[in-house]
Amino acid sequence: MNSLNNHDRVFVLTGAGVSAESGLPTFRGMNGLWRGYRVEDVATPEAFSADPVLVWQFYSERRQRHQTVVPNPAHYALAELERKLGDGFFLCTQNVDSLHEQAGSRRVLHMHGRIMQSRCSNSRCDTAPFDDGNSYRTREEIPRCVACGALIRPHICWFGEVPFEMDLVLHQLGEATLVLVVGSSGVVEPAASFVRIARRGGARTVYVGPEVPANHGYFDEVLEGKAGEMLPSFVKLLLG
Ligand code: OAD
């Protein structure tokens, strides 16, 4: 891999693996299960309609866990790359944690939402998402929207919902000359297709993670190893 030049634009996509060394389990790592439920059964609009208490218990546990973790060298390396590249850098994360921001990243798009935010569950209500680190474990504890009275839900993109700001993501992919994917199994769409889209547009494509991802055929290079161990030296290489 050559170092970057002034014309390069770097698009980074991170998945659960970038936060693994901070102590947050990956989805595949927890076998997709929580208390015997499949994650897909507690992360859908249908699950929230049927049993909002169960869904909030799941996210409340995750909120508490997220309050105890700190960034690892992978998050810091990406923040350093952003500092050097400025507008030539774009970070899209599938993660709902705030570890990129805690490490100093500024241009972060959370395509699957943010664990520490909530919003109104009524899609026709225009109350904006808001910061919320609270836990809700009973029906009485779950707040209602002050504008329309509907239940408040986590600001998370659930299965069957469209990820946030896809127009901006597709625009940035079209501009990218290098796409770097870190710690994502490459099975969940639409993120799994970003590398294919960028490659069709002529971008170089690199994956960093301990296992070869499902979409490995679209990468020019797969660097096998843990993100926290690989990214600091890879970023140095890019910066020349
Ligand atoms: P996965 O759990 O599917 O994959 C995590 C990836 O991280 C795996 O490929 C691991 O090999 C890799 N990994 C593990 N430890 C690592 C380390 N130290 N450094 C680098 N990589 C490591 O997570 P995602 O691909 O992010 O969606 O999953 C995508 C989406 O599926 C999630 O955002 C979530 C889930 O359903 C929603 O919640 C909407």
Side-chain angles (χ1 to χ4, degrees), residues 143-194:
R144 288 186 176 274
C145 174
V146 286
C148 77
L151 288 177
I152 293 297
R153 59 166 275 180
H155 184 46
I156 300 278
C157 173
W158 284 330
F159 290 94
E161 296 185 320
V162 179
F164 303 108
E165 301 198 64
M166 282 300 100
D167 288 349
L168 177 57
V169 167
L170 290 173
H171 171 75
Q172 291 289 338
L173 278 175
E175 303 275 297
T177 59
L178 171 65
V179 171
L180 170 63
V181 180
V182 184
S184 183
S185 53
V187 294
V188 176
E189 295 291 354
S193 291
F194 290 175

Side-chain angles (χ1 to χ4, degrees), residues 15-17 20-21 26-28 94 112 157 159 183-185 188 210-211 227:
E21 288 156 86
T26 63
F27 292 91
R28 304 307 167 251
Q94 297 168 85
H112 289 163
C157 173
F159 290 94
S184 183
S185 53
V188 176
E211 293 161 297

Side-chain angles (χ1 to χ4, degrees), residues 56-207:
W56 262 119
Q57 286 174 349
F58 173 67
Y59 286 102
S60 296
E61 274 185 24
R62 296 186 71 197
R63 279 186 174 176
Q64 290 191 329
R65 185 75 189 262
H66 279 68
Q67 278 161 1
T68 66
V69 294
V70 294
N72 68 57
H75 298 104
Y76 288 111
L78 293 173
E80 171 68 7
L81 190 57
E82 177 183 349
R83 264 193 298 281
K84 293 279 162 50
L85 299 183
D87 287 339
F89 177 92
F90 187 81
L91 174 55
C92 174
T93 186
Q94 297 168 85
N95 299 342
V96 297
D97 64 56
S98 298
L99 293 174
H100 285 303
E101 288 88 345
Q102 286 178 42
S105 289
R106 292 289 165 262
R107 300 161 177 82
V108 189
L109 190 157
H110 286 266
M111 63 177 284
H112 289 163
R114 305 188 63 158
I115 187 75
M116 293 300 180
Q117 289 190 336
S118 298
R119 73 169 192 268
C120 179
S121 60
N122 173 3
S123 56
R124 289 180 300 279
C125 176
D126 51 18
T127 300
F130 56 92
D131 291 342
D132 183 11
N134 294 324
S135 295
Y136 307 116
R137 296 182 190 281
T138 63
R139 182 87 194 199
E140 295 68 42
E141 284 176 2
I142 303 174
R144 288 186 176 274
C145 174
V146 286
C148 77
L151 288 177
I152 293 297
R153 59 166 275 180
H155 184 46
I156 300 278
C157 173
W158 284 330
F159 290 94
E161 296 185 320
V162 179
F164 303 108
E165 301 198 64
M166 282 300 100
D167 288 349
L168 177 57
V169 167
L170 290 173
H171 171 75
Q172 291 289 338
L173 278 175
E175 303 275 297
T177 59
L178 171 65
V179 171
L180 170 63
V181 180
V182 184
S184 183
S185 53
V187 294
V188 176
E189 295 291 354
S193 291
F194 290 175
V195 60
R196 179 172 55 81
I197 294 168
R199 204 176 196 218
R200 208 170 47 210
R204 289 183 292 163
T205 54
V206 179
Y207 181 80

